[in-house]
Amino acid sequence: MKALLLLAISYVVQCWWDVGHMMTAQIAKNYLKDNRPDTLAWADSLVQDLNSLTDGKSNTFAEAAVWMDDIKETGTSFMNDWHYTDRPINPDGLLIKIEDQNRNINSIYAINQAVSVLTNSKTARNRHTVFKAQMLRVLLHVIGDLHQPLHDTTFWNSSYPNGDQGGNFMKVQLENGTLVNLHSFWDAGAFAFSPNNSFLVRPLSQSDQEYLNKWSLDVIKKYQFTKYINLDMTNPSVWTYVGYRQAIQFVYPMIAGSNNYNKDYVKQAQEFCEENLAIGGYRLAQKLIDIYDQILSNEAKLSLVD
Ligand SMILES: *[C@@H]1O[C@H](CO)[C@@H](O)[C@H](O)[C@H]1NC(C)=O
Ligand SMILES: *[C@@H]1O[C@H](CO)[C@@H](O)[C@H](O)[C@H]1NC(C)=O
Ligand SMILES: *[C@@H]1O[C@H](CO)[C@@H](O)[C@H](O)[C@H]1NC(C)=O
């Protein structure tokens, strides 16, 4: 048991949230397959466009959701701020630097840019461009990220005068006293997404793809779409706000309450993450449907003009 945990932790450090991203995309894929296969076919063909330009680890719809992390390793840093929106939690009302408060380049911006490129009425549905292919992958990734609450906030008080960078400066204490980065702990779904070193490593083998698919179907069954019809399914600002509230109401209080590892914390965190994967997958699917419908409507208008 100890050895397993050790592996889990070193894996967390190497590989943030890969499984969370793949699950979000796989849930969206399975939802689209049943409800809007036309949208899935369009989105999947854009994924394929970039395959010859990647390292071969993001060739499927699910794997492509990790591409935005892959490119960091090749020195592409200009999109680093697209992975989060750090709405401050600032209980003591510290004076926060303006540039930290008013960040315009964030996950909301990323999603809006992606929508803008993908729905551009000057390029027809079947005309693929490099930027469409990239921005589709941005959507697959960022909508996953913002369902991890620590991608939606940064905590400030006098112990963290420069903010905690979404939990990166805070620690969870494990059973034996070891401290783990709080952000990583949540990125790894409280270890649900990284039980061991060889779990769902990309490129996924056939059996890994089957495992991912089955797991996503289980999650869809457990957290059915109809449960969430009252949630906002269109507005990324609202989504990040909900994540921010989740951080305040759930993520940080768990730490403050015990500040140490216990099985309840892990179990609750895992269930919480799994439900957020389901919601993230449904929102990703809905965003793709909205984009595709917009493209069809642009085309209808154009053909009227013709
Ligand atoms: C505590 O457990 C973790 C995870 O198993 C391990 O990485 C760490 O080395 C252990 N620390 C001590 C002091 O035993
Ligand atoms: C800042 O917040 C952290 C996390 O809740 C807490 O542990 C720490 O005591 C707080 N610092 C001050 C000065 O209140
Ligand atoms: C890793 O964890 C998964 C899921 O619990 C399990 O199916 C697999 O057998 C494990 N692999 C190893 C090498 O322990």
Side-chain angles (χ1 to χ4, degrees), residues 198-252:
S198 53
F199 186 61
L200 299 183
V201 174
R202 293 177 299 135
L204 297 182
S205 65
Q206 188 63 33
S207 65
D208 280 350
Q209 287 186 31
E210 283 159 16
Y211 185 100
L212 184 77
N213 189 44
K214 185 179 176 304
W215 186 11
S216 77
L217 292 172
D218 289 345
V219 170
I220 287 173
K221 205 165 157 194
K222 187 164 165 197
Y223 303 101
Q224 292 187 14
F225 179 76
T226 49
K227 256 179 95 174
Y228 305 106
I229 43 174
N230 292 323
L231 292 189
D232 183 280
M233 284 288 158
T234 59
N235 186 343
S237 288
V238 173
W239 306 347
T240 63
Y241 187 73
V242 171
Y244 158 81
R245 298 290 307 168
Q246 288 177 330
I248 293 174
Q249 288 170 352
F250 192 66
V251 174
Y252 284 111

Side-chain angles (χ1 to χ4, degrees), residues 72-111:
K72 287 183 183 169
E73 286 163 24
T74 60
T76 308
S77 60
F78 77 94
M79 289 191 274
N80 283 0
D81 292 343
W82 295 20
H83 296 250
Y84 56 89
T85 294
D86 55 4
R87 204 174 253 118
I89 300 174
N90 184 9
D92 300 341
L94 295 190
L95 211 55
I96 301 173
K97 282 184 259 122
I98 295 296
E99 65 262 34
D100 293 319
Q101 263 179 332
N102 290 346
R103 299 180 62 99
N104 295 320
I105 308 296
N106 54 30
S107 55
I108 301 166
Y109 168 89
I111 292 170

Side-chain angles (χ1 to χ4, degrees), residues 115 139 143 234 236 239 283-291:
V115 171
L139 268 189
I143 294 180
T234 59
W239 306 347
R283 282 176 169 154
L284 171 59
Q286 192 54 53
K287 187 53 81 186
L288 292 170
I289 291 168
D290 290 349
I291 290 170

Side-chain angles (χ1 to χ4, degrees), residues 171-174 179 253-261 265:
K171 307 280 188 208
V172 193
Q173 193 166 35
L174 301 187
L179 296 172
M254 269 171 128
I255 285 295
S258 62
N259 198 26
N260 65 53
Y261 176 95
Y265 186 110

